[in-house]
Amino acid sequence: MLTLISHPLCPYVQRAAIVLAEKSQPFERIHIDLAHKPDWFLQLSPLGKTPVLQVDGQPIFESAVICEYLDDTAAPRLHPDDAVERAQHRAWMEFGSAMLNTIAGFYNAPDEAALDRKAAELRAQWARLEAALQSDPYFAGQQFSMVDAVFGPVFRYFDVFDSLGDFDFFAATPKINAWRLALAARPSVANAVGSDYPALLRRFLSQRPSALAQRLAAPALV
């Protein structure tokens, strides 16, 4: 019996939901308000973060640990069998987490100059990843891997960012563009969030003291 303690926007929750779907594991999903964390949740999550996966009532916290547990206990395996390749995949998963930190810096940038600097940082990270991609449609070719589960939620941010300005995030990354489209079409990735995700993200961005919030508040040009 699996229960995923969740937040509608959390990219780390999405990782776990994607892996659960790829392994055809039925689960219950419970959303919480991270701004007003219930006491029962804090008892399950020492760090006070989502996701938490309850397995027959036993909590597992931290998305990376949850995904590793699922890969150890349910087929199909999403990590490579080769130890070196598996380590390389885990390293790129960490790169994906680093990109989420840069993304947070981007949407929290207080002014246009800081926004431009963070956009340039993101473009540089995409360029490094573009140079590393050797296959299609997914990170490791035809087989969907744990790296794909990490980057599906990363790409999802840019569907909204692209509507807020011409940042040229993917202008020089054709392999990443193809990968992004392949992941968006994957049912496990598409269904890891609700249909209201874009609206929820835009609302979240509009509430930040940031340059992006100012763009959201500006009247649309006719």
Side-chain angles (χ1 to χ4, degrees):
M1 186 175 187
L2 302 175
T3 302
L4 184 65
I5 312 302
S6 171
H7 182 275
L9 291 176
C10 178
Y12 297 97
V13 168
Q14 294 175 50
R15 293 181 184 183
I18 291 167
V19 173
L20 284 160
E22 288 292 331
K23 293 173 177 291
S24 301
Q25 295 290 297
F27 66 98
E28 179 186 10
R29 191 164 181 172
I30 298 175
H31 291 309
I32 65 162
D33 181 355
L34 288 174
H36 303 91
K37 300 168 186 174
D39 289 340
W40 62 262
F41 171 71
L42 293 174
Q43 293 174 9
L44 298 177
S45 176
L47 297 175
K49 299 190 298 185
T50 54
V52 174
L53 182 69
Q54 289 186 282
V55 182
D56 294 331
Q58 297 296 313
I60 303 172
F61 61 94
E62 284 297 296
S63 63
V65 179
I66 291 169
C67 291
E68 294 290 343
Y69 165 79
L70 292 170
D71 215 38
D72 287 342
T73 58
R77 289 276 291 175
L78 299 183
H79 270 317
D81 293 330
D82 179 77
V84 171
E85 189 178 357
R86 188 164 61 249
Q88 290 172 334
H89 277 221
R90 286 176 173 144
W92 283 111
M93 291 168 66
E94 285 299 312
F95 189 86
S97 295
M99 290 207 71
L100 288 174
N101 291 333
T102 310
I103 287 169
F106 175 77
Y107 65 63
N108 283 310
D111 52 49
E112 288 292 327
L115 190 70
D116 288 343
R117 287 194 297 272
K118 282 298 178 181
E121 189 176 338
L122 283 167
R123 287 193 294 270
Q125 288 176 312
W126 287 130
R128 287 194 288 274
L129 184 55
E130 175 82 2
L133 282 178
Q134 302 294 330
S135 60
D136 63 82
Y138 303 120
F139 183 81
Q142 293 296 316
Q143 183 177 354
F144 187 93
S145 72
M146 202 72 79
V147 181
D148 298 295
V150 166
F151 276 91
V154 175
F155 287 128
R156 202 187 313 274
Y157 278 103
F158 293 85
D159 297 337
V160 171
F161 293 161
D162 286 348
S163 70
L164 299 177
D166 187 10
F167 297 105
D168 290 329
F169 285 124
F170 305 103
T173 57
K175 289 184 286 187
I176 286 177
N177 286 334
W179 185 27
R180 180 187 180 187
L181 291 173
L183 288 180
R186 185 90 175 183
S188 65
V189 176
N191 297 328
V193 296
S195 60
D196 58 347
Y197 174 89
L200 290 175
L201 180 56
R202 291 177 75 92
R203 185 186 309 162
F204 169 79
L205 296 175
S206 71
Q207 296 169 346
R208 318 302 294 175
S210 68
L212 279 184
Q214 295 171 24
R215 290 188 179 214
L216 278 163
L221 298 176
V222 178

